[in-house]
């Protein structure tokens, strides 16, 4: 420490105590902190881009400024107390002693001007020290006051946010009255009950059916109530802003928007098509049967496409809500990942609840709907180009023309879509375009993939057991799948190299006309995806099948090489006795 205080006949000298190495330590600490902040900022910018990083940094500072300032305030106060403040009372005592001595000198007859000046200097110093002590004494109270003000501001902000959410929710139910001029038209015919339709002034009048007579009534004004889409869209965008500015409210906003979609676009309002089911392969088809089936498939695809294009257009408010949900940034998705799943504390990760919704012809391209629950949803004709559906639940969903546990995706365009880990078990994907799609780890067990385009698709770790893959296109596909009992007959551009990445058994059916294709019976070593796949199997763990036993089903016994297996069979041949696909349409 440097000198403290000295007072003599030459005047008053005051030295503030500072550790000798303190400037160097402060410089080093500041440099380290600056380097750390720079590295974090660079990493943040690389991940999110400058605009998102800057917005995220400002939002973080806004929410956590008190937590950042308080430690510095406490450290500064502690440093002041340790190095300086504790000496102020001692210095004040010395000032009083010197002041008394100087006053006694003034009372002596020999007092001079220098003594009076010393008294004035000591008094000024005493006042400065006392004032500084008073200021420092208020610092703890100021810190407490800042904390109280910050808590009050947070409470007011939370109340304001709640008020904004409540106002937006009211806007989601906005309706408006409209008046239209029309008249009832009664249609009568012999042998059939009468029917009545409304002819609107500004629309094409309804046409009578064959044999019907039209009897129009008087023109009059009809009043009706319909959703006020302008107000509702404004409310949806307000909720989006709240979610972006207050990540803590993100889950609540998502729940509100999902509930809005479920209530305003229910699957019950999505009647099905009249095309019937896809025709089954006959047990012993002739060449004429196969040619007839192919022609039926082409014709059905055309009718299915025409039907999907004739569906009513997407509702604007539902489309806006889907875009708000599907364009969440990484910060809000992180909140979802950290959320404990409702009803199961052992499971983490929030799921968007879009069950049993009518999303026909909605544009979901590039939207992030990973882990969304779309069970029973109607997605016929929906645009899913590069949509993120990793881990999505699509049980019973319908995607014709554009389900996934017994789902129907005939002719769907899923090119480049992200379906990693999606459950597509027994899905109908006949003729679906899955070119370049990401299906890593997806469950395709028992799926209908006849004629599907799997060119350049990523199927590493996908489950192809019992999948019907007749006539599928395998050009450039990335494989690495269990394929016991799978049907590869008629496959196009299927190579031995692709089969070598899979495993099968004697009931794995291979193309008859493709030379000497075979499939290994087991893997020599465990693929990277195997343990995660086993852990996600519904019949593994919890007192059921042990993971190590299931693992042994995929791996070769120690010291043994995989067998070259599979059965080469013509496309028109019946399934062998005991094959699980036998008798399935």
């Amino acid at each position: 420490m440097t000198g403290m205080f000295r007072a003599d006949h030459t005047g008053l000298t005051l030295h503030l105590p500072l550790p000798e190495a303190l400037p160097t330590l402060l410089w080093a600490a500041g440099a380290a902190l600056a380097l750390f902040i720079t590295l974090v900022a660079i990493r943040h910018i690389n991940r999110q881009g400058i605009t998102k990083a800057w917005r995220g940094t400002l939002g973080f500072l806004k929410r956590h400024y008190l937590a950042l300032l308080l430690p510095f305030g406490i450290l500064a106060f502690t440093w002041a107390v340790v190095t300086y403040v504790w000496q102020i009372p001692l210095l004040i005592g010395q000032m009083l002693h010197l002041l008394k001595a100087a006053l006694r000198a003034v009372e002596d007859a020999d007092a001079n001007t220098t003594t009076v000046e010393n008294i004035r200097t000591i008094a000024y110093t005493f006042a400065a020290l006392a004032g500084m002590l008073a200021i420092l004494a208020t610092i703890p109270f100021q810190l407490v006051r800042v904390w109280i003000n910050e808590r009050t501001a947070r409470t007011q902000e939370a109340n304001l946010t709640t008020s904004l959410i409540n106002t937006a929710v009211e806007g989601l139910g906005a309706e408006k009255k409209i008046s239209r001029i029309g008249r009832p038209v009664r249609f009568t015919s012999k042998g059939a009950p009468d029917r009545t339709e409304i002819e609107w002034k500004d629309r094409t009048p309804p046409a009578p059916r064959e044999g019907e007579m039209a009897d129009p009534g008087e023109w009059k004004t009809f009043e009706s109530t319909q959703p006020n889409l302008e107000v509702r869209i404004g409310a949806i965008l307000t909720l989006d802003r709240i979610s972006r500015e207050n990540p803590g409210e993100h889950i609540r906003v998502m729940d509100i928007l999902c509930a809005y979609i479920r209530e305003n676009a229910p699957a019950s309002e999505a009647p099905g098509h009249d095309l019937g089911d896809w025709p089954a392969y006959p047990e012993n088809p002739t060449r004429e049967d196969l040619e007839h089936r192919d022609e039926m498939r082409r014709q059905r695809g055309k009718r299915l496409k025409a039907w999907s294009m004739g569906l009513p257009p997407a509702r604007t408010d539902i489309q806006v809500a889907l875009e708000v949900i599907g364009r969440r940034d990484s910060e809000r998705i992180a909140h979802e990942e950290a959320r404990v799943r409702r009803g199961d504390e052992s499971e983490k990760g929030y799921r968007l609840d879009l069950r049993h919704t009518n999303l026909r012809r909605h544009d979901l391209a590039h939207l992030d709907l990973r882990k969304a629950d779309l069970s029973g949803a109607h997605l016929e004709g929906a645009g899913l180009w590069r949509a993120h559906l990793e881990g999505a639940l699509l049980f019973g969903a319908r995607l014709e023309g554009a389900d996934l546990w017994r789902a129907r995706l005939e002719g769907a365009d899923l090119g480049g879509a992200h379906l990693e880990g999606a459950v597509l078990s027994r899905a109908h994907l006949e003729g679906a375009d899955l070119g370049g799609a990401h299906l890593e780890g997806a469950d395709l067990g028992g799926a209908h993939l006849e004629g599907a385009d799997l060119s350049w698709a990523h199927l590493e770790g996908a489950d192809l057991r019992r999948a019907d893959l007749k006539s599928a296109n395998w050009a450039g596909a990335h494989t690495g799948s269990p394929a016991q009992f799978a049907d590869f007959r008629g496959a196009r551009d299927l190579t031995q190299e692709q089969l070598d990445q899979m495993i099968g058994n004697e009931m794995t059916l291979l193309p008859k006309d493709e030379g000497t294709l075979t499939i290994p019976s087991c893997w020599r070593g465990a693929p990277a995806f195997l343990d995660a796949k086993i852990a996600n199997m519904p019949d593994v763990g919890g007192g059921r099948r042990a993971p190590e036993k299931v693992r042994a089903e995929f791996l070769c016994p120690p010291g043994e090489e995989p067998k070259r297996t599979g059965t080469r069979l013509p496309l028109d041949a019946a399934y062998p006795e005991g094959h699980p696909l036998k008798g399935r349409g």
Side-chain angles (χ1 to χ4, degrees), residues 121-141:
T121 302
I122 293 170
Y124 288 158
T125 305
F126 174 80
L129 289 172
M132 186 172 294
L133 181 62
I135 292 171
L136 291 173
T138 64
I139 289 179
F141 301 101

Side-chain angles (χ1 to χ4, degrees), residues 400-428:
E400 291 118 314
D403 177 34
L404 296 164
W405 172 254
R406 298 181 182 272
R408 308 189 69 90
L409 288 117
E410 301 99 307
D413 183 2
L414 294 167
H418 287 264
L419 291 156
E420 297 94 327
V423 179
L424 294 154
S425 178
R426 303 193 70 174
H428 284 266

